[in-house]
Short mmCIF file of all heavy atoms in Angstrom, two decimals:
data_model
loop_
_atom_site.label_atom_id
_atom_site.label_comp_id
_atom_site.label_asym_id
_atom_site.label_seq_id
_atom_site.Cartn_x
_atom_site.Cartn_y
_atom_site.Cartn_z
N MET A 1 122.00 106.93 91.60
CA MET A 1 121.01 106.45 90.68
C MET A 1 121.47 105.65 89.54
O MET A 1 122.49 106.10 88.98
CB MET A 1 120.13 107.77 90.12
CG MET A 1 118.93 107.37 89.55
SD MET A 1 117.59 106.93 90.70
CE MET A 1 116.31 106.57 89.44
N THR A 2 121.03 104.43 89.35
CA THR A 2 121.52 103.48 88.42
C THR A 2 120.46 103.18 87.35
O THR A 2 120.42 102.15 87.05
CB THR A 2 122.08 102.26 89.03
OG1 THR A 2 121.01 101.68 89.91
CG2 THR A 2 123.22 102.51 89.83
N THR A 3 119.68 104.06 86.90
CA THR A 3 118.75 103.78 85.91
C THR A 3 119.37 103.55 84.58
O THR A 3 120.25 104.23 84.09
CB THR A 3 117.75 105.08 85.69
OG1 THR A 3 117.22 105.47 86.93
CG2 THR A 3 116.72 104.76 84.81
N ALA A 4 118.98 102.34 83.95
CA ALA A 4 119.52 101.94 82.79
C ALA A 4 118.50 102.23 81.67
O ALA A 4 117.40 101.98 81.81
CB ALA A 4 119.84 100.37 82.90
N LEU A 5 119.02 102.71 80.59
CA LEU A 5 118.14 103.06 79.51
C LEU A 5 118.56 102.40 78.14
O LEU A 5 118.72 103.00 77.12
CB LEU A 5 118.02 104.56 79.30
CG LEU A 5 117.20 105.40 80.29
CD1 LEU A 5 117.41 106.78 80.23
CD2 LEU A 5 115.77 104.95 80.31
N ALA A 6 118.93 101.11 78.18
CA ALA A 6 119.35 100.47 76.97
C ALA A 6 118.24 100.14 76.09
O ALA A 6 117.10 99.65 76.60
CB ALA A 6 120.04 99.12 77.39
N PRO A 7 118.32 100.58 74.89
CA PRO A 7 117.12 100.46 73.88
C PRO A 7 116.64 99.02 73.72
O PRO A 7 115.48 98.69 73.53
CB PRO A 7 117.70 100.96 72.67
CG PRO A 7 118.92 101.83 73.00
CD PRO A 7 119.50 101.14 74.25
N SER A 8 117.64 98.04 73.89
CA SER A 8 117.31 96.66 73.59
C SER A 8 116.36 96.09 74.69
O SER A 8 115.69 95.06 74.46
CB SER A 8 118.56 95.82 73.58
OG SER A 8 119.29 95.96 74.82
N SER A 9 116.19 96.81 75.79
CA SER A 9 115.51 96.22 76.94
C SER A 9 114.14 97.03 77.09
O SER A 9 113.59 97.11 78.19
CB SER A 9 116.24 96.27 78.24
OG SER A 9 116.65 97.56 78.56
N ALA A 10 113.83 97.73 76.04
CA ALA A 10 112.53 98.52 76.05
C ALA A 10 111.25 97.64 76.38
O ALA A 10 111.28 96.42 76.04
CB ALA A 10 112.32 99.18 74.72
N LEU A 11 110.52 98.17 77.17
CA LEU A 11 109.24 97.39 77.52
C LEU A 11 108.25 97.51 76.49
O LEU A 11 108.14 98.43 75.70
CB LEU A 11 108.59 98.01 78.81
CG LEU A 11 109.53 97.99 80.11
CD1 LEU A 11 109.12 98.97 81.09
CD2 LEU A 11 109.50 96.56 80.68
N SER A 12 107.40 96.46 76.37
CA SER A 12 106.43 96.33 75.35
C SER A 12 104.94 96.33 76.04
O SER A 12 104.90 96.11 77.18
CB SER A 12 106.70 95.14 74.44
OG SER A 12 106.26 94.03 75.12
N ALA A 13 103.97 96.29 75.14
CA ALA A 13 102.56 96.23 75.67
C ALA A 13 102.40 94.86 76.32
O ALA A 13 101.44 94.61 77.01
CB ALA A 13 101.62 96.44 74.51
N ALA A 14 103.19 93.80 76.00
CA ALA A 14 103.17 92.45 76.50
C ALA A 14 103.55 92.45 77.92
O ALA A 14 103.28 91.45 78.74
CB ALA A 14 103.80 91.59 75.60
N ASP A 15 104.40 93.39 78.32
CA ASP A 15 104.89 93.34 79.86
C ASP A 15 103.83 93.97 80.67
O ASP A 15 103.29 95.07 80.44
CB ASP A 15 106.11 94.15 79.78
CG ASP A 15 107.30 93.50 79.04
OD1 ASP A 15 107.53 92.43 79.32
OD2 ASP A 15 107.98 94.24 78.25
N ARG A 16 103.37 93.19 81.68
CA ARG A 16 102.44 93.55 82.62
C ARG A 16 102.94 93.74 83.99
O ARG A 16 103.83 93.03 84.57
CB ARG A 16 101.37 92.38 82.61
CG ARG A 16 100.70 92.20 81.31
CD ARG A 16 99.71 93.44 81.11
NE ARG A 16 99.49 93.63 79.58
CZ ARG A 16 98.61 94.49 79.10
NH1 ARG A 16 98.02 95.41 79.97
NH2 ARG A 16 98.64 94.68 77.90
N CYS A 17 102.33 94.68 84.87
CA CYS A 17 102.54 95.02 86.16
C CYS A 17 102.37 93.66 87.02
O CYS A 17 101.33 93.00 86.95
CB CYS A 17 101.70 96.19 86.62
SG CYS A 17 101.84 96.41 88.42
N ASP A 18 103.27 93.33 87.97
CA ASP A 18 103.22 92.26 88.76
C ASP A 18 102.05 92.41 89.82
O ASP A 18 101.59 91.40 90.32
CB ASP A 18 104.45 91.91 89.42
CG ASP A 18 105.60 91.42 88.55
OD1 ASP A 18 105.16 90.79 87.48
OD2 ASP A 18 106.76 91.56 88.88
N ARG A 19 101.65 93.64 90.02
CA ARG A 19 100.71 93.92 91.11
C ARG A 19 99.27 93.95 90.48
O ARG A 19 98.35 93.38 91.13
CB ARG A 19 101.02 95.10 91.76
CG ARG A 19 102.36 95.21 92.42
CD ARG A 19 102.42 94.24 93.55
NE ARG A 19 103.76 93.85 93.95
CZ ARG A 19 104.20 93.99 95.26
NH1 ARG A 19 103.59 94.29 96.23
NH2 ARG A 19 105.47 93.52 95.36
N CYS A 20 99.11 94.61 89.48
CA CYS A 20 97.65 94.85 89.05
C CYS A 20 97.40 94.44 87.65
O CYS A 20 96.22 94.40 87.09
CB CYS A 20 97.30 96.39 89.15
SG CYS A 20 98.22 97.35 88.03
N GLY A 21 98.44 93.93 86.89
CA GLY A 21 98.23 93.46 85.43
C GLY A 21 98.03 94.50 84.42
O GLY A 21 97.95 94.30 83.14
N ALA A 22 98.26 95.84 84.84
CA ALA A 22 98.23 96.91 83.77
C ALA A 22 99.50 96.88 83.07
O ALA A 22 100.54 96.17 83.40
CB ALA A 22 98.06 98.21 84.59
N GLN A 23 99.67 97.61 81.92
CA GLN A 23 100.80 97.68 81.24
C GLN A 23 102.07 98.11 81.98
O GLN A 23 101.87 99.15 82.63
CB GLN A 23 100.64 98.51 79.87
CG GLN A 23 101.88 98.41 78.99
CD GLN A 23 101.71 99.18 77.65
OE1 GLN A 23 100.60 99.46 77.35
NE2 GLN A 23 102.83 99.50 76.96
N ALA A 24 103.12 97.49 81.84
CA ALA A 24 104.34 97.79 82.73
C ALA A 24 105.06 98.98 82.03
O ALA A 24 105.32 98.86 80.78
CB ALA A 24 105.13 96.54 82.96
N TYR A 25 105.52 99.96 82.95
CA TYR A 25 106.53 101.00 82.38
C TYR A 25 107.73 100.97 83.28
O TYR A 25 108.66 101.72 82.87
CB TYR A 25 105.61 102.27 82.46
CG TYR A 25 104.64 102.51 81.40
CD1 TYR A 25 103.32 102.10 81.60
CD2 TYR A 25 105.11 102.97 80.27
CE1 TYR A 25 102.38 102.31 80.59
CE2 TYR A 25 104.14 103.08 79.17
CZ TYR A 25 102.79 102.87 79.48
OH TYR A 25 101.91 102.89 78.44
N VAL A 26 107.87 100.09 84.18
CA VAL A 26 109.12 100.11 85.02
C VAL A 26 109.59 98.61 85.24
O VAL A 26 108.71 97.78 85.53
CB VAL A 26 108.73 100.72 86.46
CG1 VAL A 26 110.03 100.58 87.32
CG2 VAL A 26 108.18 102.05 86.36
N ARG A 27 110.81 98.38 84.66
CA ARG A 27 111.37 97.07 84.95
C ARG A 27 112.51 97.17 86.03
O ARG A 27 113.34 97.98 85.82
CB ARG A 27 111.94 96.47 83.62
CG ARG A 27 112.46 95.07 84.05
CD ARG A 27 113.44 94.71 82.93
NE ARG A 27 112.76 94.22 81.61
CZ ARG A 27 112.96 94.87 80.49
NH1 ARG A 27 113.72 95.72 80.35
NH2 ARG A 27 112.35 94.38 79.47
N VAL A 28 112.47 96.31 87.11
CA VAL A 28 113.42 96.46 88.15
C VAL A 28 114.21 95.16 88.09
O VAL A 28 113.62 94.12 88.20
CB VAL A 28 112.71 96.58 89.57
CG1 VAL A 28 113.72 96.57 90.69
CG2 VAL A 28 111.91 97.81 89.61
N THR A 29 115.52 95.22 88.01
CA THR A 29 116.30 94.03 88.14
C THR A 29 117.02 94.03 89.48
O THR A 29 117.53 94.97 89.92
CB THR A 29 117.58 94.22 87.08
OG1 THR A 29 117.00 94.37 85.75
CG2 THR A 29 118.36 92.92 87.05
N LEU A 30 116.61 92.94 90.15
CA LEU A 30 117.10 92.83 91.61
C LEU A 30 118.41 92.30 91.81
O LEU A 30 118.97 91.77 90.94
CB LEU A 30 116.10 91.93 92.38
CG LEU A 30 114.53 92.26 92.20
CD1 LEU A 30 113.85 91.04 92.75
CD2 LEU A 30 114.31 93.55 92.82
N THR A 31 119.00 92.65 92.91
CA THR A 31 120.40 92.19 93.30
C THR A 31 120.44 90.55 93.29
O THR A 31 121.52 90.03 93.02
CB THR A 31 120.80 92.81 94.63
OG1 THR A 31 119.81 92.31 95.53
CG2 THR A 31 121.07 94.28 94.67
N SER A 32 119.27 90.01 93.54
CA SER A 32 119.19 88.52 93.68
C SER A 32 119.16 87.95 92.18
O SER A 32 119.19 86.71 92.14
CB SER A 32 117.92 88.07 94.27
OG SER A 32 116.77 88.61 93.68
N GLY A 33 118.96 88.75 91.11
CA GLY A 33 118.92 88.34 89.79
C GLY A 33 117.61 88.24 89.26
O GLY A 33 117.42 87.97 88.00
N GLY A 34 116.58 88.36 90.02
CA GLY A 34 115.25 88.46 89.45
C GLY A 34 114.77 89.68 88.91
O GLY A 34 115.60 90.67 88.80
N GLU A 35 113.68 89.62 88.35
CA GLU A 35 113.04 90.89 87.69
C GLU A 35 111.68 91.20 88.19
O GLU A 35 110.81 90.20 88.43
CB GLU A 35 112.98 90.71 86.19
CG GLU A 35 114.41 91.23 85.54
CD GLU A 35 114.08 91.26 84.16
OE1 GLU A 35 113.00 90.89 83.53
OE2 GLU A 35 115.03 91.67 83.32
N LEU A 36 111.29 92.40 88.34
CA LEU A 36 110.01 92.75 88.62
C LEU A 36 109.42 93.80 87.62
O LEU A 36 110.14 94.56 87.07
CB LEU A 36 109.90 93.44 90.09
CG LEU A 36 110.21 92.52 91.23
CD1 LEU A 36 110.28 93.23 92.55
CD2 LEU A 36 109.21 91.43 91.34
N LEU A 37 108.23 93.81 87.26
CA LEU A 37 107.52 94.69 86.35
C LEU A 37 106.51 95.45 87.11
O LEU A 37 105.72 94.87 87.79
CB LEU A 37 107.06 93.95 85.13
CG LEU A 37 107.94 93.17 84.28
CD1 LEU A 37 107.28 92.39 83.14
CD2 LEU A 37 108.90 94.20 83.57
N PHE A 38 106.53 96.84 86.82
CA PHE A 38 105.38 97.59 87.54
C PHE A 38 104.82 98.57 86.58
O PHE A 38 105.56 99.08 85.58
CB PHE A 38 106.01 98.32 88.74
CG PHE A 38 106.40 97.48 89.89
CD1 PHE A 38 107.83 97.40 90.14
CD2 PHE A 38 105.55 96.85 90.78
CE1 PHE A 38 108.11 96.58 91.24
CE2 PHE A 38 106.00 96.21 91.78
CZ PHE A 38 107.24 95.95 92.06
N CYS A 39 103.59 98.85 86.66
CA CYS A 39 103.00 99.98 86.03
C CYS A 39 103.53 101.29 86.56
O CYS A 39 104.23 101.27 87.53
CB CYS A 39 101.50 99.86 86.09
SG CYS A 39 100.87 100.11 87.71
N ALA A 40 103.18 102.43 85.93
CA ALA A 40 103.67 103.74 86.48
C ALA A 40 103.21 103.84 87.84
O ALA A 40 104.04 104.39 88.67
CB ALA A 40 103.13 104.84 85.64
N HIS A 41 102.01 103.49 88.13
CA HIS A 41 101.36 103.71 89.51
C HIS A 41 102.15 102.99 90.59
O HIS A 41 102.60 103.49 91.58
CB HIS A 41 99.93 103.34 89.50
CG HIS A 41 99.25 103.43 90.77
ND1 HIS A 41 98.07 102.79 91.04
CD2 HIS A 41 99.59 103.98 91.96
CE1 HIS A 41 97.73 103.01 92.23
NE2 HIS A 41 98.61 103.90 92.76
N HIS A 42 102.43 101.72 90.39
CA HIS A 42 103.03 100.95 91.30
C HIS A 42 104.60 100.99 91.39
O HIS A 42 105.11 101.04 92.37
CB HIS A 42 102.70 99.38 91.15
CG HIS A 42 101.26 99.05 91.54
ND1 HIS A 42 100.36 98.63 90.75
CD2 HIS A 42 100.74 99.01 92.73
CE1 HIS A 42 99.19 98.45 91.39
NE2 HIS A 42 99.42 98.73 92.66
N GLY A 43 105.14 101.42 90.23
CA GLY A 43 106.51 101.81 90.15
C GLY A 43 106.82 102.93 91.03
O GLY A 43 107.87 102.96 91.77
N ARG A 44 105.94 103.85 91.01
CA ARG A 44 106.02 105.10 91.93
C ARG A 44 105.91 104.68 93.33
O ARG A 44 106.55 105.20 94.26
CB ARG A 44 105.09 106.14 91.42
CG ARG A 44 105.47 107.56 91.84
CD ARG A 44 104.82 108.66 90.97
NE ARG A 44 103.42 108.30 90.75
CZ ARG A 44 102.85 108.27 89.47
NH1 ARG A 44 103.63 108.46 88.41
NH2 ARG A 44 101.63 107.99 89.28
N GLU A 45 104.80 103.91 93.59
CA GLU A 45 104.48 103.53 94.94
C GLU A 45 105.62 102.77 95.61
O GLU A 45 105.86 102.96 96.92
CB GLU A 45 103.19 102.70 94.89
CG GLU A 45 102.70 102.34 96.23
CD GLU A 45 101.36 101.55 96.08
OE1 GLU A 45 100.50 102.00 95.40
OE2 GLU A 45 101.25 100.57 96.69
N HIS A 46 106.34 101.96 94.93
CA HIS A 46 107.46 101.13 95.52
C HIS A 46 108.80 101.57 95.40
O HIS A 46 109.82 100.92 95.71
CB HIS A 46 107.32 99.81 95.01
CG HIS A 46 105.97 98.91 95.37
ND1 HIS A 46 105.60 98.71 96.62
CD2 HIS A 46 104.97 98.63 94.49
CE1 HIS A 46 104.46 98.05 96.59
NE2 HIS A 46 103.98 98.04 95.33
N SER A 47 108.91 102.75 94.58
CA SER A 47 110.27 103.19 94.17
C SER A 47 111.29 103.33 95.44
O SER A 47 112.36 103.09 95.25
CB SER A 47 110.12 104.56 93.51
OG SER A 47 109.57 105.54 94.35
N GLU A 48 110.91 103.79 96.55
CA GLU A 48 111.61 103.98 97.71
C GLU A 48 112.36 102.75 98.10
O GLU A 48 113.46 102.57 98.33
CB GLU A 48 110.84 104.53 98.95
CG GLU A 48 110.43 105.96 98.63
CD GLU A 48 111.67 106.96 98.64
OE1 GLU A 48 112.58 106.76 99.61
OE2 GLU A 48 111.73 107.78 97.86
N LYS A 49 111.40 101.63 98.30
CA LYS A 49 112.05 100.33 98.68
C LYS A 49 112.85 99.64 97.57
O LYS A 49 113.90 99.14 97.71
CB LYS A 49 110.81 99.38 98.92
CG LYS A 49 110.16 99.53 100.31
CD LYS A 49 109.11 98.47 100.50
CE LYS A 49 107.94 99.15 101.00
NZ LYS A 49 106.61 98.31 100.90
N LEU A 50 112.30 99.80 96.32
CA LEU A 50 113.10 99.18 95.24
C LEU A 50 114.50 99.62 95.02
O LEU A 50 115.30 98.97 94.68
CB LEU A 50 112.30 99.44 93.88
CG LEU A 50 110.93 98.74 93.82
CD1 LEU A 50 110.15 99.12 92.61
CD2 LEU A 50 111.10 97.20 93.84
N ARG A 51 114.72 100.90 95.26
CA ARG A 51 116.04 101.54 95.11
C ARG A 51 117.04 100.74 96.07
O ARG A 51 118.22 100.83 95.81
CB ARG A 51 115.98 102.97 95.52
CG ARG A 51 116.69 103.94 94.56
CD ARG A 51 116.29 105.34 94.68
NE ARG A 51 115.11 105.75 94.08
CZ ARG A 51 114.32 106.75 94.40
NH1 ARG A 51 114.57 107.45 95.47
NH2 ARG A 51 113.24 107.01 93.67
N ASN A 52 116.69 100.23 97.21
CA ASN A 52 117.49 99.57 98.02
C ASN A 52 117.79 98.04 97.63
O ASN A 52 118.83 97.53 98.04
CB ASN A 52 116.81 99.45 99.50
CG ASN A 52 116.68 100.88 100.11
OD1 ASN A 52 117.58 101.73 99.91
ND2 ASN A 52 115.58 101.05 100.80
N ILE A 53 117.00 97.43 96.82
CA ILE A 53 117.15 96.08 96.42
C ILE A 53 117.40 95.84 95.02
O ILE A 53 117.70 94.80 94.63
CB ILE A 53 115.98 95.24 96.83
CG1 ILE A 53 114.70 95.76 96.14
CG2 ILE A 53 115.86 95.22 98.37
CD1 ILE A 53 113.45 94.97 96.36
N ALA A 54 117.49 96.96 94.18
CA ALA A 54 117.56 96.96 92.64
C ALA A 54 118.98 97.15 92.29
O ALA A 54 119.61 98.03 92.81
CB ALA A 54 116.59 97.74 92.07
N ILE A 55 119.35 96.44 91.18
CA ILE A 55 120.67 96.81 90.46
C ILE A 55 120.35 97.87 89.61
O ILE A 55 121.10 98.94 89.54
CB ILE A 55 121.15 95.56 89.69
CG1 ILE A 55 121.57 94.40 90.67
CG2 ILE A 55 122.50 96.02 88.89
CD1 ILE A 55 121.92 93.14 89.90
N THR A 56 119.29 97.74 88.69
CA THR A 56 118.96 98.85 87.80
C THR A 56 117.45 98.94 87.84
O THR A 56 116.63 98.02 88.08
CB THR A 56 119.35 98.48 86.33
OG1 THR A 56 118.73 97.15 85.99
CG2 THR A 56 120.77 98.26 86.18
N ILE A 57 116.97 100.08 87.57
CA ILE A 57 115.59 100.41 87.46
C ILE A 57 115.33 101.09 86.08
O ILE A 57 115.77 102.14 85.81
CB ILE A 57 115.01 101.34 88.62
CG1 ILE A 57 115.21 100.72 89.86
CG2 ILE A 57 113.55 101.70 88.30
CD1 ILE A 57 114.87 101.55 91.18
N HIS A 58 114.75 100.41 85.26
CA HIS A 58 114.43 100.87 83.88
C HIS A 58 113.03 101.46 83.89
O HIS A 58 112.08 100.78 83.90
CB HIS A 58 114.51 99.57 82.87
CG HIS A 58 114.16 99.97 81.59
ND1 HIS A 58 115.03 100.64 80.65
CD2 HIS A 58 113.10 99.77 80.74
CE1 HIS A 58 114.52 100.86 79.50
NE2 HIS A 58 113.24 100.29 79.52
N ASP A 59 113.10 102.87 83.72
CA ASP A 59 111.79 103.52 83.93
C ASP A 59 111.45 104.25 82.62
O ASP A 59 112.10 104.99 82.06
CB ASP A 59 112.06 104.64 84.96
CG ASP A 59 110.81 105.38 85.36
OD1 ASP A 59 109.83 105.43 84.60
OD2 ASP A 59 110.83 105.97 86.53
N GLU A 60 110.21 103.79 82.17
CA GLU A 60 109.59 104.38 80.98
C GLU A 60 108.44 105.24 81.27
O GLU A 60 107.62 105.42 80.25
CB GLU A 60 109.37 103.24 79.94
CG GLU A 60 110.63 102.54 79.39
CD GLU A 60 110.32 101.68 78.20
OE1 GLU A 60 109.28 101.60 77.67
OE2 GLU A 60 111.29 100.84 77.88
N THR A 61 108.21 105.53 82.41
CA THR A 61 107.04 106.37 82.72
C THR A 61 106.94 107.59 82.04
O THR A 61 105.87 108.23 81.89
CB THR A 61 106.95 106.51 84.22
OG1 THR A 61 108.12 107.21 84.71
CG2 THR A 61 106.67 105.25 84.94
N GLY A 62 108.05 108.04 81.53
CA GLY A 62 108.23 109.28 80.76
C GLY A 62 107.40 109.28 79.56
O GLY A 62 107.00 110.24 78.90
N ARG A 63 107.14 108.07 79.05
CA ARG A 63 106.39 107.88 77.76
C ARG A 63 104.90 108.13 77.93
O ARG A 63 104.16 108.37 76.95
CB ARG A 63 106.52 106.39 77.24
CG ARG A 63 107.92 106.11 76.67
CD ARG A 63 107.98 104.88 75.84
NE ARG A 63 107.74 103.71 76.61
CZ ARG A 63 106.81 102.80 76.23
NH1 ARG A 63 106.15 102.94 75.00
NH2 ARG A 63 106.72 101.74 76.95
N LEU A 64 104.43 108.14 79.17
CA LEU A 64 103.08 108.35 79.48
C LEU A 64 102.67 109.81 79.29
O LEU A 64 103.51 110.73 79.37
CB LEU A 64 102.65 107.94 80.89
CG LEU A 64 102.78 106.43 81.25
CD1 LEU A 64 102.70 106.24 82.70
CD2 LEU A 64 101.66 105.81 80.57
N GLU A 65 101.44 110.01 78.91
CA GLU A 65 100.86 111.39 78.73
C GLU A 65 100.85 112.00 80.19
O GLU A 65 100.51 111.35 81.10
CB GLU A 65 99.40 111.34 78.10
CG GLU A 65 99.31 110.63 76.84
CD GLU A 65 99.99 111.51 75.79
OE1 GLU A 65 99.93 112.77 75.76
OE2 GLU A 65 100.69 110.92 74.89
N PRO A 66 101.11 113.32 80.13
CA PRO A 66 101.02 114.03 81.51
C PRO A 66 99.60 113.83 82.10
O PRO A 66 99.54 113.89 83.31
CB PRO A 66 101.43 115.50 81.07
CG PRO A 66 102.09 115.35 79.75
CD PRO A 66 101.62 114.16 79.08
N THR A 67 98.58 113.80 81.23
CA THR A 67 97.30 113.65 81.84
C THR A 67 96.92 112.38 82.67
O THR A 67 96.08 112.35 83.46
CB THR A 67 96.17 113.89 80.73
OG1 THR A 67 96.58 112.85 79.61
CG2 THR A 67 96.23 115.26 80.13
N SER A 68 97.91 111.40 82.42
CA SER A 68 97.65 110.11 83.14
C SER A 68 97.76 110.21 84.66
O SER A 68 97.33 109.37 85.38
CB SER A 68 98.60 109.11 82.58
OG SER A 68 99.86 109.42 82.91
N THR A 69 98.44 111.16 85.08
CA THR A 69 98.50 111.50 86.55
C THR A 69 97.11 111.55 87.14
O THR A 69 96.91 111.15 88.40
CB THR A 69 99.44 112.56 86.99
OG1 THR A 69 99.10 113.68 86.33
CG2 THR A 69 100.87 112.18 86.59
N VAL A 70 96.25 112.17 86.36
CA VAL A 70 94.93 112.40 86.90
C VAL A 70 94.13 111.07 87.09
O VAL A 70 93.55 110.79 88.02
CB VAL A 70 94.13 113.32 85.93
CG1 VAL A 70 92.72 113.51 86.36
CG2 VAL A 70 94.81 114.63 85.85
N ALA A 71 94.44 110.23 85.98
CA ALA A 71 93.77 108.98 86.02
C ALA A 71 94.29 107.99 87.14
O ALA A 71 93.53 107.30 87.77
CB ALA A 71 93.95 108.18 84.65
N ALA A 72 95.62 108.18 87.49
CA ALA A 72 96.17 107.46 88.55
C ALA A 72 95.53 107.79 89.86
O ALA A 72 95.44 106.88 90.82
CB ALA A 72 97.65 107.56 88.54
N GLU A 73 95.21 108.94 90.03
CA GLU A 73 94.61 109.51 91.32
C GLU A 73 93.26 108.88 91.35
O GLU A 73 92.74 108.57 92.52
CB GLU A 73 94.66 111.01 91.49
CG GLU A 73 96.00 111.49 91.90
CD GLU A 73 96.01 113.06 91.91
OE1 GLU A 73 94.86 113.61 92.12
OE2 GLU A 73 97.06 113.56 91.78
N GLU A 74 92.52 108.99 90.34
CA GLU A 74 91.09 108.43 90.36
C GLU A 74 91.07 106.97 90.61
O GLU A 74 90.16 106.31 91.16
CB GLU A 74 90.39 108.69 89.03
CG GLU A 74 90.10 110.19 88.87
CD GLU A 74 89.56 110.53 87.63
OE1 GLU A 74 89.66 109.72 86.58
OE2 GLU A 74 89.00 111.61 87.25
N GLU A 75 92.16 106.30 90.19
CA GLU A 75 92.35 104.84 90.23
C GLU A 75 92.14 104.27 91.68
O GLU A 75 91.53 103.23 91.95
CB GLU A 75 93.66 104.28 89.72
CG GLU A 75 93.70 102.92 89.22
CD GLU A 75 95.07 102.76 88.60
OE1 GLU A 75 95.33 103.11 87.37
OE2 GLU A 75 96.04 102.19 89.22
N ARG A 76 92.65 105.00 92.67
CA ARG A 76 92.63 104.46 93.98
C ARG A 76 91.31 104.80 94.57
O ARG A 76 90.81 104.07 95.44
CB ARG A 76 93.76 105.15 94.80
CG ARG A 76 93.50 106.61 95.23
CD ARG A 76 94.68 107.22 95.89
NE ARG A 76 94.46 108.64 95.89
CZ ARG A 76 93.71 109.32 96.94
NH1 ARG A 76 93.37 108.52 97.97
NH2 ARG A 76 93.55 110.58 96.94
ZN1 ZN B 101 100.28 98.10 88.85
#
């Protein structure tokens, strides 16, 4: 696991999920040099694949309220 937690790279409300436009809580730095942003929902959905192509996965989903898991289930 190569999760980076550098304070300087913290995600802000301006960072949006590439898939759905929700606020991003996961930033993935790819081996190709690119970056992907995901909300908690999509970060979790793609985490298996991302682990194979990412250098670092910056995960701030821990900042979310525990109750948000209920909302994520209703979302689909
Ligand atoms: Zn999303």
